[in-house]
Amino acid sequence: MEPLFDRHQGDGTYMSAESNLTGARRPRPRRTGEGKDKAAARDALREAILAGEFTPGERLVEAQLTERFGVSRFNIRLALQDLAGEGLVEIQRNRGAQVRKISLAETIEITQVRMVLEGLVAAQAATRVTDDEASELDEIGLLMRRAVEAGEFRRYSDLNQQLHALVRRISGHRTADRLIDTLRAQLARHQFMLSLLPGRPMVSLPQHERIITAIRERDPKEAEAAMRDHIASVIEVLRTLDDRGVMP
């Protein structure tokens, strides 16, 4: 009788005589570029969702996405699964994928989690900031003030994102950074709407300046308190959005 396994593979496994001869059980080699195609499709689709090109509840049709992004349907499916893991997409059995709707209650809960994580990040940034990074913070703060004074609130919204990203980079806390990035992606549309609310930039500007000052002065307790107070004020505004008819 032929032995069931006849060749040691050097990794603790054996190859059967049959598969050694026919190759029938050999794993299919990964196609070159397959992983890059999936990542490119995922990143492009994420950007399109965050930019509002797909609205909450809108179906994401694989055939249309394949044509738009120029990748295989297999890679589109993988990209949709990744975005479902990030909370941007919802995949329903027999109904396909759609942009996930996020309720006001969930938006507030996510922002509460962000408040804790970003407070931690700000505190750590205050213990690690260099003189060059402090200068970067000052520059963004100055640009934010100029944007508010000029009424350039879209520009202010972009700078707001840059400031938070810089604080996270300075902190060097990779786990918190990854979690915050996922949470912020889910709330990107709401954050943009907040920045356009009448009077909101004038309220949030001094809050951001307080965060910058605390980090520059290497005061972790004040940096954490400043960040938490800032995001707590965001939560208070979120509680009023439904009454204003702003939430989708």
Side-chain angles (χ1 to χ4, degrees):
M1 176 181 293
E2 289 287 334
L4 182 61
F5 298 100
D6 67 354
R7 179 178 296 180
H8 191 274
Q9 299 300 296
D11 59 357
T13 64
Y14 291 81
M15 179 182 289
S16 71
E18 180 183 1
S19 59
N20 184 32
L21 291 173
T22 67
R25 298 184 184 179
R26 291 177 183 172
R28 179 179 65 86
R30 188 179 184 88
R31 289 177 292 177
T32 302
E34 191 173 88
K36 291 182 179 179
D37 286 346
K38 183 203 77 166
R42 179 197 62 217
D43 294 345
L45 181 54
R46 182 196 296 114
E47 183 177 346
I49 292 173
L50 298 182
E53 296 177 29
F54 298 96
T55 59
E58 182 175 346
R59 286 192 61 217
L60 299 169
V61 182
E62 290 181 4
Q64 295 175 355
L65 297 176
T66 294
E67 182 177 354
R68 172 169 177 169
F69 298 117
V71 298
S72 69
R73 180 170 286 195
F74 174 75
N75 282 307
I76 288 295
R77 287 175 182 169
L78 292 178
L80 289 171
Q81 290 171 7
D82 284 355
L83 295 179
E86 294 180 16
L88 289 176
V89 169
E90 183 177 19
I91 301 176
Q92 298 178 340
R93 188 173 183 179
N94 300 324
R95 297 186 63 183
Q98 66 179 28
V99 179
R100 192 167 77 89
K101 295 180 179 179
I102 300 178
S103 67
L104 175 60
E106 186 178 1
T107 298
I108 291 173
E109 288 181 356
I110 292 171
T111 308
Q112 289 171 332
V113 175
R114 266 193 58 213
M115 179 175 67
V116 176
L117 289 172
E118 293 214 39
L120 167 66
V121 164
Q124 184 152 312
T127 67
R128 293 169 54 93
V129 65
T130 66
D131 290 342
D132 287 343
E133 290 167 340
S135 296
E136 288 185 69
L137 289 169
D138 282 341
E139 182 178 356
I140 292 181
L142 178 60
L143 292 173
M144 292 177 79
R145 175 162 289 280
R146 288 176 177 172
V148 170
E149 291 172 349
E152 297 174 347
F153 299 134
R154 291 178 183 271
R155 170 68 171 155
Y156 178 79
S157 177
D158 291 341
L159 290 166
N160 177 16
Q161 301 301 317
Q162 291 177 33
L163 174 62
H164 284 268
L166 176 57
V167 172
R168 286 153 53 196
R169 174 165 63 81
I170 294 171
S171 78
H173 199 303
R174 289 184 293 179
T175 299
D177 184 40
R178 184 177 68 253
L179 293 171
I180 292 168
D181 197 43
T182 299
L183 295 173
R184 288 176 67 88
Q186 296 178 43
L187 302 179
R189 291 186 299 273
H190 302 149
Q191 292 165 353
F192 179 71
M193 288 187 293
L194 283 176
S195 69
L196 299 181
L197 288 176
R200 177 61 192 169
M202 281 71 79
V203 173
S204 66
L205 175 63
Q207 296 172 350
H208 287 120
E209 290 175 332
R210 178 187 169 197
I211 294 167
I212 291 171
T213 299
I215 294 175
R216 287 187 80 264
E217 294 180 353
R218 280 79 173 177
D219 187 340
K221 289 186 178 180
E222 170 61 11
E224 180 172 8
M227 182 65 81
R228 289 179 66 116
D229 287 349
H230 164 57
I231 299 182
S233 77
V234 172
I235 294 171
E236 291 306 309
V237 175
L238 285 171
R239 295 185 192 279
T240 72
L241 290 184
D242 198 34
D243 294 335
R244 302 186 193 190
V246 176
M247 289 293 290

